[in-house]
Amino acid sequence: MPQGLQTLVALLVLLPGFVSSRIARSLSAQGQQSELERVIEALIFSFFNFVIYVVLFGTSLPIEWLPSFQVHRWRVLFLALMACLLGLLWGIVRSQDLILRPLRAWGLTERTSRQSVWNDAFLSLEGTAQVGLKDGRNLIGHISRYSDADGERSLFLARAYWVGEDGPPIEIPGKGILLTDKAEIEFVMFLDTETSQNEEQQD
């Protein structure tokens, strides 16, 4: 087999794994990976892509040299679709914690597939929250957006207002407020429906 064709076949074997890996990471928050870790993850995806391929098509590659050069276009298309589908499914499994959640319920592990406690809390809980800042101020609002990048602690509250021990809540005009790292969030209290309704009635 010519060297150029060998390179093409090698790329065809490896690329589906890198496609799956990139799609999976785009759908779920994950920590920083080294180059070696990324390659290993892509190789694992490539392995499962080709396990499925071999089950359906046997050991013949999508590109064959003997007796003549031939590209099986439908097999190549299947590999591409399988790589996208595998990455999509694994991204959903990771982001929704579909594997470790039942294992935690059975007492087999205490781990979660989420990146951090911050990320896990906002994915698991929703609704209204009270946020305390380092300078002593407090806000209440509906959790709309939150950061999932490693080490970042940003939060967007919709329908938000300032609250204090004295005086009525002060509504924040507009669609909401974005609290960045510079706001120095000290705590986030996730309020139940009854508590949040009472706060809104006081407004």
Side-chain angles (χ1 to χ4, degrees):
M1 182 183 295
Q3 185 175 0
L5 185 59
Q6 290 178 349
T7 303
L8 179 60
V9 171
L11 286 175
L12 191 63
V13 171
L14 295 176
L15 279 178
F18 284 94
V19 172
S20 298
S21 177
R22 179 56 64 90
I23 293 175
R25 289 186 63 82
S26 68
L27 293 177
S28 59
Q30 298 296 318
Q32 294 292 329
Q33 283 184 321
S34 65
E35 291 298 327
L36 179 59
E37 289 172 330
R38 292 181 182 180
V39 171
I40 292 174
E41 183 180 65
L43 290 176
I44 293 173
F45 275 117
S46 292
F47 171 76
F48 285 106
N49 274 306
F50 273 91
V51 165
I52 298 172
Y53 176 88
V54 169
V55 169
L56 296 177
F57 296 104
T59 57
S60 59
L61 293 173
I63 296 178
E64 295 180 332
W65 176 251
L66 296 175
S68 61
F69 179 76
Q70 186 176 6
V71 177
H72 299 282
R73 290 175 293 179
W74 289 110
R75 296 183 183 183
V76 174
L77 179 60
F78 173 82
L79 265 180
L81 292 176
M82 181 55 59
C84 295
L85 182 60
L86 191 61
L88 178 65
L89 290 176
W90 186 245
I92 294 173
V93 167
R94 239 196 289 200
S95 63
Q96 299 299 319
D97 200 25
L98 296 180
I99 294 180
L100 294 181
R101 186 191 306 168
L103 294 181
R104 288 198 306 274
W106 298 336
L108 299 178
T109 184
E110 296 181 354
R111 298 201 64 183
T112 173
S113 62
R114 273 84 184 253
Q115 180 180 356
S116 62
V117 176
W118 172 276
N119 187 252
D120 195 18
F122 284 107
L123 280 170
S124 303
L125 305 172
E126 57 183 15
T128 302
Q130 179 173 340
V131 181
L133 306 182
K134 188 175 182 179
D135 60 10
R137 294 180 297 169
N138 284 262
L139 306 93
I140 287 182
H142 182 76
I143 301 170
S144 180
R145 298 286 188 274
Y146 54 88
S147 60
D148 57 13
D150 189 21
E152 186 180 349
R153 296 292 183 269
S154 299
L155 176 64
F156 180 80
L157 295 177
R159 304 190 300 274
Y161 47 91
W162 298 102
V163 294
E165 296 181 358
D166 300 324
I170 302 175
E171 183 179 0
I172 297 175
K175 297 182 178 180
I177 182 170
L178 175 63
L179 302 173
T180 65
D181 284 340
K182 293 183 178 180
E184 298 185 304
I185 297 174
E186 287 281 293
F187 65 84
V188 178
M189 290 194 302
F190 297 89
L191 306 178
D192 56 32
T193 304
E194 183 178 352
T195 303
S196 61
Q197 287 177 348
N198 291 338
E199 293 287 352
E200 291 177 357
Q201 290 173 359
Q202 295 175 8
D203 190 359

